[in-house]
Amino acid sequence: IASAELLNPIFSEIAFAINTTDSSNIYNIIYSTAATVICQDFQAVLLNKKESNPTNRVLLNFGYGCENTTIDSVYQMNFNMANISTIQNMEAVALVKRGACSWSEKVSVINDLSSSEKMNVTAALIYDNQTYSGISIKTALYQATVSFPEYSTPLPSDRSVLNMTDNDLSQSSIGVYFVPYVYGNTLKSKLNKTYNSSDPTIRTFWSITTYFPQDDSSNGFVGSIRGYFAYIIALAAIFVIGVIFLRWWKLRCMRNNRLNSFNNNNIIHLQQRVNQIDPLPVDIVNSLAVKSYEMGSIKNTNCAICLDDFSPGKSDIRMLPCGHGFCVLCI
């Protein structure tokens, strides 16, 4: 993604040596060369998601990086060190000089050479071809505590990548950075001194790591103080929301329990009321006709309460309006 505003990265650099006669190609870090470099003219041109985390990359010289740059010329500029297996297994950053072609052409050439030769170049470091006065570059030892400076004034317009006419980049699959001539030329000089003709089996390389203000150059990626407080505030907010939700859920359960208890009591009371049989008043019972049972005079032949059979002419029955009869003693 393109940088919405200028970001000023910090570069950490360190040299390491490889004995090409050793089949294991184990490298030895030269800790005395470790340094962190800070400059307002260090600018992020295009970034991708990978650039959010510090990545160690071996530095390779690509010259101008225009269409006439070939893999043979890259090998020659790096003293045939770019084809060492250990280096090919590492991520690389291409050091290219501004000029001779557009920045998009430089990135395209870098991508093509990296892809065809499996060089694993994941970033480009373009250094200016013009010199300016007033550029301040600070170098700190690796062990020193480095803080990200806050610049009170913006870069002069002629030193900002936003105003450089040859910067035609709108997208890139690799990270692209811009540095002033004095720093880029220093890196180039370091690369030119890495080949020792008296002992060509020992090859020295430089590793460059990019950090942004949210990073800590001594411990890798660590959140800034502002990010730390934001994290704490977010956790506190989640905790408060959780407490409120649990309290709401508890009150809701209590209300449902009370409602269920009330409904259950009403249902039991209603059932008891329904199951309760009110007796028929005595005066109504006594007003029913009493007759001696005769065959066919009523619908039933026995009392539905005591289950005794009626005897014609002998059983006294109480007649109901529905046509059924019952023993006088039963109702």
Side-chain angles (χ1 to χ4, degrees):
I1 57 175
S3 301
E5 58 183 9
L6 289 181
L7 297 178
N8 302 111
I10 286 178
F11 296 114
S12 290
E13 54 186 47
I14 192 170
F16 60 95
I18 295 179
N19 187 343
T20 57
T21 60
D22 185 357
S23 59
S24 63
N25 279 338
I26 298 176
Y27 56 85
N28 297 314
I29 298 176
I30 307 173
Y31 290 99
S32 59
T33 63
T36 301
V37 189
I38 303 172
C39 179
Q40 186 179 5
D41 286 72
F42 292 169
Q43 303 170 64
V45 183
L46 283 176
L47 301 177
N48 52 34
K49 294 181 180 179
K50 182 179 179 62
E51 302 304 312
S52 61
N53 295 321
T55 303
N56 299 322
R57 297 183 176 100
V58 60
L59 184 66
L60 297 177
N61 187 6
F62 270 65
Y64 279 100
C66 297
E67 62 179 359
N68 58 346
T69 302
T70 63
I71 189 61
D72 292 333
S73 63
V74 172
Y75 285 161
Q76 183 178 1
M77 286 184 287
N78 293 277
F79 306 100
N80 292 324
M81 294 187 294
N83 58 354
I84 297 177
S85 59
T86 302
I87 300 303
Q88 291 179 338
N89 293 330
M90 300 174 64
E91 291 191 35
V93 53
L95 178 66
V96 292
K97 189 174 183 179
R98 181 187 178 191
C101 63
S102 65
W103 292 13
S104 60
E105 182 177 329
K106 296 178 186 294
V107 171
S108 177
V109 170
I110 292 171
N111 281 331
D112 291 343
L113 291 177
S114 175
S115 177
S116 61
E117 302 299 327
K118 298 181 180 179
M119 300 178 70
N120 199 20
V121 178
T122 58
L125 194 62
I126 302 175
Y127 68 98
D128 206 347
N129 59 351
Q130 302 180 38
T131 59
Y132 298 93
S133 60
I135 295 179
S136 174
I137 298 179
K138 298 180 180 180
T139 302
L141 296 178
Y142 179 77
Q143 293 82 1
T145 301
V146 179
S147 59
F148 286 85
E150 294 184 0
Y151 303 106
S152 57
T153 57
L155 278 175
S157 59
D158 56 343
R159 285 158 49 188
S160 171
V161 296
L162 300 178
N163 301 316
M164 296 180 182
T165 57
D166 51 344
N167 175 16
D168 60 344
L169 287 173
S170 59
Q171 60 182 0
S172 174
S173 59
I174 63 176
V176 181
Y177 303 93
F178 183 82
V179 297
Y181 172 82
V182 61
Y183 182 63
N185 194 55
T186 299
L187 292 178
K188 180 182 176 182
S189 299
K190 289 180 178 180
L191 289 178
N192 290 337
K193 295 177 181 178
T194 56
Y195 179 75
N196 186 357
S197 58
S198 61
D199 189 2
T201 60
I202 302 298
R203 303 295 180 91
T204 305
F205 298 87
W206 283 88
S207 175
I208 302 294
T209 306
T210 307
Y211 297 93
F212 289 98
Q214 68 269 23
D215 305 329
D216 185 328
S217 59
S218 60
N219 298 321
F221 181 78
V222 178
S224 63
I225 297 298
R226 182 180 299 176
Y228 174 77
F229 280 115
Y231 177 73
I232 295 299
I233 292 173
L235 286 181
I238 293 174
F239 175 78
V240 171
I241 293 173
V243 171
I244 294 174
F245 175 78
L246 290 177
R247 182 170 178 80
W248 170 82
W249 181 258
K250 183 177 180 180
L251 292 175
R252 184 174 182 270
C253 291
M254 291 175 60
R255 185 182 64 181
N256 289 340
N257 290 337
R258 290 178 181 176
L259 183 61
N260 291 336
S261 177
F262 175 78
N263 290 338
N264 290 337
N265 291 336
N266 285 346
I267 292 174
I268 293 174
H269 178 73
L270 180 61
Q271 289 177 342
Q272 291 176 346
R273 179 64 181 169
V274 170
N275 294 333
Q276 182 178 357
I277 301 176
D278 294 331
L280 196 64
V282 176
D283 56 342
I284 296 178
V285 174
N286 292 334
S287 65
L288 298 175
V290 177
K291 296 181 180 180
S292 178
Y293 173 72
E294 297 294 340
M295 292 292 294
S297 60
I298 57 175
K299 295 180 179 180
N300 53 313
T301 59
N302 61 353
C303 179
I305 297 176
C306 65
L307 302 180
D308 287 342
D309 293 332
F310 298 137
S311 299
K314 296 181 179 180
S315 299
D316 293 333
I317 58 173
R318 195 180 299 275
M319 298 286 295
L320 297 183
C322 61
H324 291 88
F326 297 88
C327 296
V328 175
L329 297 178
C330 291
I331 61 172

